[in-house]
Amino acid sequence: MMKKKQLELLAPAGSVESLQAAVNAGADAVYMGGGRFGARAYADNPQGDRLLEAIDYAHLHGVKLYLTVNTLFKEQELEEELYDFLLPCYERGLDAVIVQDLGALLRIRQWFSDLPVHASTQMTLCGAEGVAFLEREGVKRVVLARELSLGEIVHIHRNTNLEIECFVHGALCYCYSGQCLFSSILGGRSGNRGRCAQPCRLAYEVFAGKNRVSRKEERTLLSPKDMCAIDLLPEIAGAGVCSLKIEGRMKRPEYTAGVVRIYRKYIDCYLEYGAEGYTVSEEDRRELLLLFNRDGFSRGYYEQHNGRDLMALQDTKAVQRDKKAYERQIAFLKKEYTETEKKIPITGSLYARAGQPMELTLQPEGGAASLTVYGASPQIPKNHPMEESQFQKQLGKTGNTPFFWADLSIQLEGPLFVPVQALNDLRRDALEKLREQMLKNCKRTGSSSPEERQKRSQDYPKDAADTAFVPVHVSVETEEQLEEVLALADGLKGEQAVLSAIYTEAFGSFKSLQERIRKIHGKGFKAYVALPHIFRLKTRERIEKEKAVFDSLEADGFVLRNLEEYEFLRETGRAGDRILDHNVYTCNRESRSFWREQGICMQTNPLELNSRELQKISSQDSIQVIYGRYPMMVTAGCLHKTLGRCRGQEEIWMLKDRYQKEFPVKNHCQDCYNIIYNSQPVYLLDQREELKKLRAGAYRLMFTTEKKEEVRQVLLGLLEQRKPSGDFTRGHFKRGVE
């Protein structure tokens, strides 16, 4: 039977009120953000002293508090702001930080070596390889991608040693967390910076060519149902998950209380009776539905990869009957959990005797160490002695403290008199010292000093030589695109542009991939294989089935898009250059320097930094994307599956929003994920003076959905230094994100 301490109920706390609600309802731990660097910037996150008080509050009640610093960090934020933000929390006894940015992870491990670091779901962790990578870097726990199946979680648990945390209830993103630029590109509100505007919850239409393939009643095509995995708790725990996480830092405290109380009930049921005695009542299911749902619930991705059942296609509004039931339920939760403060029971005894200091001994229930505090000395009364009830009355007041008396005994030796103020002082002193004693073991001292905080980035590479041109890399996703690039290859070797490398996606068989590599080499260019955007167990098994062919590929190297691919190539000993794509985020010098130490030869600049921010980190081993449709979302969800039209055949559909903008969607069937691209390509070929300031070692043209003629026009535009005829955008090169 699993011990209770091995199965943690982790609750969201978007405010101090939600923290209190979670504690009252039985959470083992909470996660919350402070005033900076959290992935829910619009929650009512506590700041300054309120955050420190929140840590104390959690610890007094035996609850852990994990702080979210799970955004991407710009250079100044990492090197000049993060340490000062974390130091007070560290000293107060913060239990862990949740991190997305690799640079932040490395700096935190350097600054606060005994502070546990949890890898956020924003890291898009999809396999044992990525978890093993983070284990080497000192991470204690990983929050896995929500898209993983129970079988994949079992595989990770069996092949790694880190704690595993998984979501069991709440909202699901349509995109793999950490791989979404939709809100960022459309409105400058980046999910990677905690400011997602949730454009995925809006209405869209889908077209295959000119034919509409979505029905009018199918509106919210990118909006998953909320997950409710309460029926699967035994299976999830059995898969090796140690922390069951509830989503909802943007929701009200009563929601937190309501969901936590039910999951507390069923976790305890499982821990007591095991999987055989585990059943969930319909009444509790209805209560969870009342608190919040989108067209009902799904069980998430634990049992299915994608499909119509996961989606809230109708965006059905609650009927009046449900609204009234919801209001009654909220009123109940408010009364029981958010308006009622949970206090800690204590026992105590007072011993008083004339002429010697009073002794008040206190002990919190649960076997914690007792504490004795001494007060003023009682006097022999001149008239009437004080009654025991008068001592009880003054000492029994606990006021705004976190305690209440479960039992207080009074022992008086002879007739006594004590001023009321002396009793009040004794009580206040005793309760404050008890509070300090209970928190003492949580607090820390002695992190590294500023002088010891050496930057890995001190050995930053020198600038690239100031030449008339910068080498160009081209990435292609289709045979047609590759053929057109090769057809113009001779013209791309002139003085205005030097094409030096071509990336080809790992689509089709590895034999066909080998043929494409040879074609590229035949024209005198380097050939790099761009590995899939998502590397799950299915992808690894696909490669291992053709391992001999994969190992014999004549590629000059690989373009990596996740931690799993880096670790997979490392463990298999595959030779060749390593290039990081833009979605392995390196937004600061610390992360970029780290990757150089790992043998990465070039790093693609992130897409959300503006030109001024890029100048601080870009260097001769940087690649700057100067043309291409940005991938707005990489999704396990598939529009073909959702609409019942899956043929296992890759094609491009169009997603149309309410403004009639069209976003190409490509389904990558071999590894079963979709990519939604921006409606317009980024075009920076005419920004030569700004690009020069980046000192990049290469520029990249990124072909994704383009047909043959579009490829030709872009390449000719590069040679002739002219803008394309169609619509284009500057992306974040000019504006960046907050």
Side-chain angles (χ1 to χ4, degrees), residues 519-679:
K519 286 181 182 180
I520 295 168
H521 283 161
K523 288 291 187 177
F525 304 121
K526 284 189 173 184
Y528 290 96
V529 174
L531 294 173
H533 286 74
I534 299 296
F535 191 95
R536 290 173 62 169
L537 193 55
K538 177 180 181 179
T539 306
R540 181 177 183 124
E541 291 172 346
R542 176 167 69 86
I543 293 175
E544 288 178 342
K545 282 180 183 178
E546 297 187 75
K547 189 173 186 303
V549 184
F550 181 81
D551 289 345
S552 67
L553 290 175
E554 298 167 8
D556 296 283
F558 297 87
V559 180
L560 311 180
R561 287 162 167 159
N562 46 67
L563 300 182
E564 285 77 21
E565 289 165 356
Y566 171 83
E567 190 68 13
F568 175 74
L569 294 179
R570 192 190 73 86
E571 72 177 46
T572 55
R574 186 64 169 82
D577 294 340
R578 307 283 191 268
I579 295 174
L580 290 188
D581 210 345
H582 53 78
N583 65 323
V584 182
Y585 300 113
T586 54
C587 297
N588 46 70
R589 290 192 165 207
E590 180 72 12
S591 57
R592 296 174 84 88
S593 296
F594 168 82
W595 281 116
R596 290 186 194 99
E597 294 172 4
Q598 308 309 306
I600 296 297
C601 67
M602 299 199 81
Q603 306 177 43
T604 310
N605 284 337
L607 304 182
E608 292 189 289
L609 298 184
N610 62 35
S611 60
R612 295 184 304 280
E613 292 162 342
L614 287 170
Q615 287 173 35
K616 296 178 181 178
I617 63 168
S618 186
S619 63
Q620 62 184 358
D621 65 349
S622 300
I623 301 169
Q624 175 64 36
V625 175
I626 60 173
Y627 171 83
R629 289 183 188 272
Y630 285 0
M632 308 275 274
M633 281 187 171
V634 181
T635 75
C638 175
L639 289 174
H640 297 252
K641 275 286 188 70
T642 298
L643 298 174
R645 293 172 175 263
C646 177
R647 298 185 295 162
Q649 179 179 324
E650 295 185 5
E651 54 186 308
I652 295 176
W653 283 1
M654 286 293 176
L655 189 71
K656 187 180 290 188
D657 70 7
R658 64 194 190 282
Y659 301 116
Q660 303 304 300
K661 281 188 176 180
E662 294 184 337
F663 303 92
V665 184
K666 183 183 291 188
N667 55 318
H668 294 257
C669 295
Q670 275 187 313
D671 301 293
C672 202
Y673 61 85
N674 280 198
I675 298 181
I676 303 174
Y677 292 98
N678 194 14
S679 59

Side-chain angles (χ1 to χ4, degrees), residues 119-304:
S120 171
T121 191
Q122 289 284 117
M123 278 194 163
T124 326
L125 292 165
C126 293
E129 300 84 1
V131 175
F133 172 94
L134 292 171
E135 185 175 354
R136 285 202 310 277
E137 298 309 319
V139 167
K140 182 181 180 182
R141 177 185 294 185
V142 290
V143 189
L144 297 180
R146 296 176 228 206
E147 290 78 4
L148 299 191
S149 68
L150 284 168
E152 288 172 301
I153 296 170
V154 169
H155 177 80
I156 291 170
H157 176 61
R158 289 176 178 172
N159 289 277
T160 60
N161 300 305
L162 296 189
E163 295 177 0
I164 295 175
E165 177 179 308
C166 287
F167 285 90
V168 294
H169 194 93
L172 287 172
C173 296
Y174 189 65
C175 183
Y176 280 96
S177 293
Q179 302 299 310
C180 185
L181 301 179
F182 216 135
S183 175
S184 173
I185 296 297
L186 292 185
R189 288 174 54 176
S190 170
N192 284 316
R193 302 278 293 169
R195 293 169 169 81
C196 179
Q198 296 191 317
C200 51
R201 302 296 180 186
L202 301 176
Y204 296 91
E205 301 172 293
V206 177
F207 291 82
K210 295 183 179 179
N211 299 319
R212 175 174 171 158
V213 293
S214 58
R215 294 188 285 271
K216 287 186 177 181
E217 65 272 16
E218 298 167 333
R219 296 165 40 80
T220 46
L221 294 163
L222 308 183
S223 180
K225 295 177 181 177
D226 275 26
M227 170 172 56
C228 176
I230 197 162
D231 289 293
L232 297 176
L233 291 191
E235 288 86 351
I236 295 169
V241 177
C242 73
S243 180
L244 307 175
K245 188 171 192 173
I246 296 167
E247 183 278 337
R249 281 194 288 148
M250 297 294 289
K251 293 188 174 73
R252 62 191 300 170
E254 292 81 9
Y255 170 88
T256 300
V259 176
V260 168
R261 70 188 283 265
I262 292 178
Y263 274 83
R264 175 78 276 156
K265 172 182 175 181
Y266 287 101
I267 289 173
D268 291 345
C269 173
Y270 168 68
L271 292 171
E272 184 172 356
Y273 301 109
E276 298 78 13
Y278 186 87
T279 57
V280 180
S281 75
E282 287 303 318
E283 181 182 356
D284 289 331
R285 284 198 187 90
R286 284 196 299 272
E287 182 173 334
L288 290 171
L289 279 166
L290 270 180
L291 287 170
F292 193 86
N293 75 89
R294 290 182 173 92
D295 291 357
F297 286 137
S298 77
R299 291 185 174 188
Y301 294 92
Y302 288 114
E303 298 176 308
Q304 64 182 106

Side-chain angles (χ1 to χ4, degrees), residues 60 343-344 346 398 401-405 431 434-435 438:
L60 284 169
K343 298 242 180 181
I344 302 164
I346 58 175
T398 57
T401 72
F403 307 109
F404 77 92
W405 291 105
L431 294 177
L434 180 62
R435 181 180 180 278
M438 292 178 67

Side-chain angles (χ1 to χ4, degrees), residues 303-319:
E303 298 176 308
Q304 64 182 106
H305 187 87
N306 51 31
R308 188 180 184 88
D309 293 344
L310 288 170
M311 305 306 297
L313 298 175
Q314 312 299 327
D315 193 22
T316 306
K317 304 302 179 186
V319 298

